[in-house]
């Protein structure tokens, strides 16, 4: 006998229809059906089955493969008893001709074969379960047909009271299962009526067959011959089946209820719509949309082209199906086109007193800016209307550019709309996308007009110097049409494809620097510079605006918390020296938060912040009162940065006299390096004229350094300063103390004008330098400065470098 004898992967299958087709014996096999216990043979052929065990109480069709079971069924049909044994195998082996006899379970079921037939390589027969069967000896096991000698277990036929009770419980559980699962049909009810608690064995087997338990669990029931034990196994399985069926029924009932409610609601709504339309109470979606768009156009003055285009789109909308994609596109277009405030203009408040009051209430200082804005408004008042203009506010961060724009809108009584163009890469954000694209939208300007509902708002384009460029286009160039007074009368938005008159819009742009703004765009704007604030202005801003704002933000009353003027000055000098007031606002917020912590501990306390309290709350001040560096070869220059003005010391020293040479350090840009070369060449060539040894540079290796090497520096305005440092070194004479300078130097010794005079003067005041050298061409810029900036400052204007040398030495 081979140890490795296997089953086929197509071991016998019987269709899993015990829930529907477990029928009465009369239905299944006609007159040939046998009764259990009659003519039980000693020797039978066996066939393994693999989906689930077959029970004695079942009558079911079984399907097997013609190869290798045809011979087995042939022999069964010739036998006098027409019976064979079905044994359950959990995993069918690959080859049916060899299998391990030890893998068969202890018990199988003896079945009588009825109505065998052959079709498409399959054999089908009806199996009538008779009784449990156990193999006592293998007679033929090498290959099918397999023949065995069998024995039949003896069951106790006299049921006890306990067995009867279990039988009743099984019948009740089956009756519970019937209404919960429609798969159990009428035949099953008839079958159940034939069972009684006095015949418990078939009842128990039938109950087990009803469950959806696994094959191995059912085999355990088949292997269990003692009646009571078998019933104890089957009852929990059946109860579990009842619970699962009940749960499934509840879930389906809940789902059906929800679906039913939604369907009912939907049908009622649709009926209501039809009834309302029939009675003329409401219109359908299309009519409602068309009416809404026509209402929006009432009171607006449309140009003929726009009127014609919108009428065409309304006609198109009236014939399109509401469900079509084209309907949605057309509806979206009309939604935008009718939202534009065609011909609607707001009334300007051209009252200069009101405008001055608004500007003074919102801003301390900035007198030159306010006067420029008032001049601009005065022209509008004289003419009767402020026509569209483009103002560009340039200045360091935190000086109040955005809030100046808001003040202009408030003083005019116009709505204000702000959007940032910083980082914008796509020109479609200005001019809109064409309608052919999915998700197309009009540009920001059309969106602004829709929001403000007038054609003459104040529109702020923030961070205009930080616009990007990409393969999608150049938004700065797209702004040319928007901001050019000659072109924006007929501004074309790609989405609407209609001409819009933007000539009445007042555009206010903001930027930190002018370097990155394209020339043609800059040419169309009126530039107003906002320089940094001096300490006195910052104190006024802090007292009037920033401190009250921080107190309000924290919900603290001014009686509980106050700050002295000297403490404010100390915060400005030690912690917030930048040109704007944003850093100052942050530091004041920090002071308020620290004070709130103390107020929580003792709400009745009154806190007064003085200069001595600052270090405890804000830490060590990052800015110290620096000594202006002085000595031979050291000159203080004045520089302009995007954060405002700054002082810039420049140092020159001789390293050795072995050979001629010139070395530059500090993070300098190309223009600044060229300025240094020019200064070196000029002083070398003209040293005798300035009272120095003409041979000094012939044998000196000179090092010129601009401190703060981590900060990038560029620009021509340090030329005069560098030349002065080199001259001081060559004459071995320290320059006059307490003096700072700026100016571009030429190779022939002329001093050329520079920019940022205001910022540089403020930087000098901050460092308590009161004597300056400026280029003669910048005299006008200095004279324009407000008196409080010029007060106490002595300025020498230089045409040539000789003028500079006279003042210094």
């Amino acid at each position: 006998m081979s140890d490795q004898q296997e089953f086929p992967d197509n071991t016998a299958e019987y269709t899993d229809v015990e829930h529907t087709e477990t029928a009465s014996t009369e239905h299944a096999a006609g007159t040939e059906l046998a009764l259990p216990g009659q003519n039980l043979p000693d020797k039978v052929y066996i066939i393994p089955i693999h989906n689930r065990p077959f029970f004695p109480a079942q009558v079911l069709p079984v399907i097997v493969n013609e190869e290798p079971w045809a011979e087995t069924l042939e022999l069964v049909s010739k036998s006098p008893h027409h019976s064979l044994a079905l044994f359950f195998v959990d995993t069918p082996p690959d080859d049916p001709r060899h299998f391990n006899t030890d893998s068969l379970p202890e018990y199988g079921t003896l079945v009588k074969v009825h109505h065998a037939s052959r079709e498409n390589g399959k054999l089908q027969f009806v199996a009538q379960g008779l009784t449990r069967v156990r193999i006592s000896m293998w007679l033929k096991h090498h290959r099918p047909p397999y023949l065995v000698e069998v024995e039949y277990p003896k069951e106790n036929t006299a049921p006890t009271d306990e067995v009867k009770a279990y039988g009743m419980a099984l019948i009740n559980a089956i009756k519970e299962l019937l209404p919960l699962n429609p798969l159990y049909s009428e035949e099953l009810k008839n079958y159940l009526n034939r069972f009684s608690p006095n015949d418990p064995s078939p009842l128990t087997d039938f109950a087990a067959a009803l469950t959806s338990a696994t094959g191995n669990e059912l085999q355990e029931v088949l292997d269990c011959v003692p009646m009571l034990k078998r019933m104890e196994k089957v009852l929990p399985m059946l109860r579990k089946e009842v619970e699962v069926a009940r749960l499934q029924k509840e879930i389906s009932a809940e789902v059906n209820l929800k679906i039913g409610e939604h369907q009912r609601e939907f049908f009622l709504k649709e009926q209501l719509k039809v009834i309302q339309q029939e009675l003329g109470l409401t219109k359908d979606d299309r009519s409602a949309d068309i009416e809404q768009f026509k209402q929006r156009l009432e009171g607006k003055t449309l140009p003929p082209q726009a009127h014609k285009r919108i009428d065409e789109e309304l006609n198109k909308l009236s014939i399109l199906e509401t469900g079509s994609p084209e309907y949605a596109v057309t509806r979206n277009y009309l939604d935008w086109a009718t939202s534009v405030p065609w011909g609607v203009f707001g009334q300007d408040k051209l009252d200069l007193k009101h405008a001055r009051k608004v500007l003074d209430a919102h801003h301390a200082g900035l007198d030159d800016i306010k006067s420029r804005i008032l001049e601009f408004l005065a022209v509008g008042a004289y003419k009767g209307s402020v026509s569209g203009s483009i103002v560009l506010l340039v200045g360091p961060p935190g000086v109040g550019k955005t809030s100046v724009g808001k003040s202009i809108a408030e003083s005019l009584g116009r709505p204000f709309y702000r959007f940032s163009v910083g980082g914008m890469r796509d020109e479609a954000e200005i001019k809109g996308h064409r309608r052919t694209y999915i998700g197309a939208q009009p540009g920001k300007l059309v969106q602004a007009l829709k929001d403000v509902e007038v054609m003459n708002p104040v529109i702020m384009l923030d961070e205009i110097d930080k616009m990007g460029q990409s393969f999608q286009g150049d938004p700065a160039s797209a702004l040319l049409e928007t901001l050019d007074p000659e072109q924006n009368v007929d501004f074309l938005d790609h989405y609407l494809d209609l001409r819009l008159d933007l000539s009445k819009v007042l555009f206010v742009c903001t930027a930190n620097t002018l370097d990155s703004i394209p020339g043609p765009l800059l040419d169309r704007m009126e530039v107003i510079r906002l320089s940094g604030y001096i300490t006195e202005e910052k104190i006024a801003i802090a007292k009037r605006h920033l401190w009250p704002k921080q107190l309000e933000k924290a919900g603290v009353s001014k009686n509980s918390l106050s700050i002295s003027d000297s403490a404010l000055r100390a915060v400005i000098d030690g912690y917030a020296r930048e040109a704007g007031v944003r850093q100052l606002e942050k530091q004041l917020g920090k002071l308020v938060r620290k004070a709130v912590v103390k107020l929580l501990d003792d709400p009745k306390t009154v806190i007064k912040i003085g200069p001595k309290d600052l270090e405890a709350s804000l830490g060590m001040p990052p800015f110290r009162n620096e000594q202006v560096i002085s000595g031979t070869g050291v000159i203080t220059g004045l520089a302009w940065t995007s954060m405002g003005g700054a002082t810039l010391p420049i140092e020159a020293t001789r390293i050795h006299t072995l050979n001629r040479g010139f070395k530059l350090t500090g993070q300098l840009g190309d223009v600044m390096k060229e300025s240094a070369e020019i200064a070196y060449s000029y002083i070398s060539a003209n040293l005798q004229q300035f009272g120095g040894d003409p041979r000094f540079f012939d044998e000196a290796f000179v090092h010129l350094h601009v401190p703060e090497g981590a900060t990038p520096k560029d620009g021509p305005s340090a030329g005069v300063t560098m030349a002065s440092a080199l001259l001081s070194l060559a004459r071995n004479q320290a320059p006059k103390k307490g003096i700072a300078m700026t100016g571009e130097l030429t190779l022939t010794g002329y001093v050329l004008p520079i920019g940022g005079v205001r910022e540089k003067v403020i930087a000098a005041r901050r460092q308590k330098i009161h004597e300056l050298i400026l280029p003669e061409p910048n005299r006008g810029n200095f004279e324009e400065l407000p008196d409080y900036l010029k007060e106490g400052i002595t300025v020498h204007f230089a045409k040539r470098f000789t003028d500079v040398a006279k003042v210094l030495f």
Side-chain angles (χ1 to χ4, degrees), residues 72-319:
T72 305
L73 282 174
E74 192 81 27
L75 292 168
V76 168
S77 66
K78 290 175 182 171
S79 69
H81 46 75
H82 300 301
S83 300
L84 58 83
L86 297 177
F87 278 85
F88 169 69
V89 177
D90 190 17
T91 47
D94 300 329
D95 190 351
R97 284 177 288 281
H98 304 286
F99 72 89
N100 183 358
T101 53
D102 297 337
S103 65
L104 287 186
E106 186 182 1
Y107 282 98
T109 302
L110 183 73
V111 298
K112 186 144 189 174
V113 176
H114 304 278
H115 307 308
S117 64
R118 184 185 307 229
E119 191 177 342
N120 297 332
K122 299 279 184 188
L123 297 169
Q124 187 169 336
F125 60 91
V126 174
Q128 176 199 354
L130 298 176
T131 182
R132 281 171 173 68
V133 64
R134 184 163 61 187
I135 299 170
S136 58
M137 189 191 298
W138 283 83
L139 301 174
K140 183 171 185 293
H141 58 77
H142 292 297
R143 59 184 180 79
Y146 300 121
L147 185 64
V148 291
E149 199 170 278
V150 293
E151 57 186 32
Y152 303 98
K154 291 190 170 49
E155 295 178 18
N156 187 5
T157 50
T160 62
D161 290 344
E162 201 174 348
V163 169
K164 281 183 182 176
Y166 266 104
M168 288 303 293
L170 288 172
I171 288 174
N172 290 338
I174 294 168
K175 283 181 177 172
E176 274 183 65
L177 197 57
L178 290 181
L180 292 174
N181 196 332
L183 285 173
Y184 306 117
S185 57
E186 282 300 316
E187 288 96 328
L188 205 145
K189 288 182 186 176
N190 296 334
Y191 194 34
L192 190 60
N193 289 337
R194 283 182 30 259
F195 285 133
S196 76
N198 297 323
D199 190 8
S201 185
L203 171 64
T204 311
D205 291 343
F206 170 69
L210 279 184
T211 66
S212 56
T214 64
N216 288 326
E217 285 174 329
L218 293 174
Q219 183 60 47
E220 283 179 27
V221 174
L222 194 64
D223 288 343
C224 188
V225 177
M227 186 51 58
L228 192 57
K229 268 192 182 177
R230 201 191 318 164
M231 287 179 144
E232 283 171 359
K233 277 184 191 290
V234 172
L235 188 58
M237 288 162 69
L238 197 57
R239 292 305 318 171
K240 184 180 170 187
E241 204 69 24
V242 173
E243 287 307 313
V244 170
R246 184 176 286 121
L247 192 60
Q248 281 176 337
K249 191 173 183 185
E250 282 172 14
I251 291 167
S252 4
E254 203 172 316
V255 171
N256 290 338
L257 182 68
K258 281 183 184 169
I259 291 170
E261 280 174 3
H262 284 304
Q263 282 179 329
R264 181 169 174 273
E265 201 174 302
F266 173 74
F267 286 131
L268 287 173
K269 277 182 182 170
E270 289 303 308
Q271 284 173 331
L272 183 63
K273 270 188 200 172
V274 174
I275 292 165
Q276 286 176 331
Q277 283 167 22
E278 289 294 320
L279 295 173
L281 298 175
T282 61
K283 298 174 180 63
D284 61 3
D285 291 346
R286 191 193 291 109
S287 310
D289 284 342
I290 291 169
E291 193 171 305
Q292 181 194 9
F293 295 143
K294 284 181 176 172
Q295 275 175 356
R296 277 191 199 169
L297 295 174
E298 286 170 15
K300 292 179 182 177
T301 313
L302 275 76
Q305 178 210 9
H307 211 296
K308 182 185 171 194
R309 183 66 181 278
I310 288 173
D311 282 348
E312 284 172 4
E313 294 291 332
L314 283 169
N315 289 337
K316 191 206 283 187
L317 195 74
S318 63
I319 57 169

